Amino acid sequence: MSFSRAVSLRILVVSLAIAATSATVCAEKKPLPPPPARAKSPAPAATDEYIHKEFGDNCSLLNGPPQFVGDLDGDGVDDLVVAARCKNPMADQAEYGFLVTDPYDSFLGFGEVKVTSTFASEVPDRKGVCLLIVHGVGTEAWRSDKTKPKFLLINLPFKNLTVKRLALKKRTVLGVYMEERGEGEETSSVVFWDGKKYRYQVLGSTLD
């Protein structure tokens, strides 16, 4: 190999190495997506009539916890979060097109919702308490008459709810924060959309 060809080859290799390093640096410096807008109260609020239309007559709003709207799934459209009481959610999910999930017991290692849906609370005022989440579609968001993803989350031991930002490793999302009651008294936790499903995560003791 001639001296000039060897020099040219070395320059090419160095150039490619510099280009690869620059691409890596640019990728590392890629800005994170902006955080979602803060959650707010729906105006007007969701009613029992709306809940019956979307989840069936076995579900009704739970008095006390506030309602929230915000972009939980990161698609730029507002979603609805409300607390409710549902008598038999498994029987209605096919009829009304929602999905019954149990992030709490999945976190504890019980993954079969058909089984965990039978874990009725021994406390009367906790029986059937659940969280309803409706993902928005189009300009009318969660109020749209179009088919939209709907979730009924069971067995969450919340006594207070709020929706606010949650910082993950690569992005910031909106999470449903809970102050727990029962076995988790004095504990705070959060439920959030991970891109495929709603996940439960313990945050630690409350500061009260």
Side-chain angles (χ1 to χ4, degrees), residues 3-206:
F3 176 76
S4 60
R5 186 175 180 183
V7 171
S8 299
L9 182 59
R10 180 171 294 181
I11 292 174
L12 177 60
V13 171
V14 172
S15 299
L16 291 174
I18 293 174
T21 302
S22 300
T24 301
V25 171
C26 290
E28 291 176 350
K29 291 184 178 180
K30 183 179 180 180
L32 296 175
R38 288 182 169 84
K40 54 187 181 295
S41 299
T47 62
D48 271 328
E49 181 182 3
Y50 172 84
I51 297 302
H52 295 161
K53 184 185 76 169
E54 299 292 350
F55 293 90
D57 292 339
N58 282 324
C59 289
S60 297
L61 291 171
L62 186 66
N63 293 328
Q67 302 179 12
F68 297 94
V69 291
D71 183 13
L72 272 72
D73 60 350
D75 65 353
V77 181
D78 275 345
D79 312 310
L80 174 71
V81 180
V82 298
R85 190 185 303 276
C86 297
K87 296 177 183 177
N88 191 2
M90 296 297 291
D92 284 341
Q93 64 172 336
E95 177 71 19
Y96 289 90
F98 60 83
L99 180 66
V100 179
T101 68
D102 189 349
Y104 177 74
D105 284 306
S106 293
F107 175 81
L108 297 178
F110 301 97
E112 182 52 67
V113 71
K114 290 182 180 179
V115 175
T116 62
S117 64
T118 66
F119 294 174
S121 173
E122 296 179 357
V123 181
D125 67 350
R126 293 296 300 168
K127 287 186 178 180
V129 170
C130 56
L131 198 65
L132 307 181
I133 300 177
V134 180
H135 285 184
V137 174
T139 57
E140 295 183 359
W142 57 275
R143 294 186 182 279
S144 174
D145 289 329
K146 298 177 181 179
T147 301
K148 48 194 175 288
K150 298 180 289 187
F151 303 87
L152 192 156
L153 281 56
I154 61 173
N155 295 333
L156 292 173
F158 62 85
K159 62 180 179 180
N160 292 317
L161 295 173
T162 188
V163 175
K164 56 185 179 180
R165 292 170 178 171
L166 171 68
L168 302 177
K169 288 183 178 180
K170 296 183 178 181
R171 59 196 175 104
T172 298
V173 300
L174 286 183
V176 183
Y177 287 76
M178 302 175 288
E179 289 183 23
E180 298 191 3
R181 62 184 299 173
E183 294 182 2
E185 195 79 29
E186 306 299 328
T187 298
S188 62
S189 55
V190 65
V191 170
F192 65 95
W193 180 254
D194 70 356
K196 296 181 179 179
K197 63 182 184 298
Y198 280 98
R199 293 179 55 189
Y200 169 93
Q201 179 176 305
V202 175
L203 297 176
S205 300
T206 63

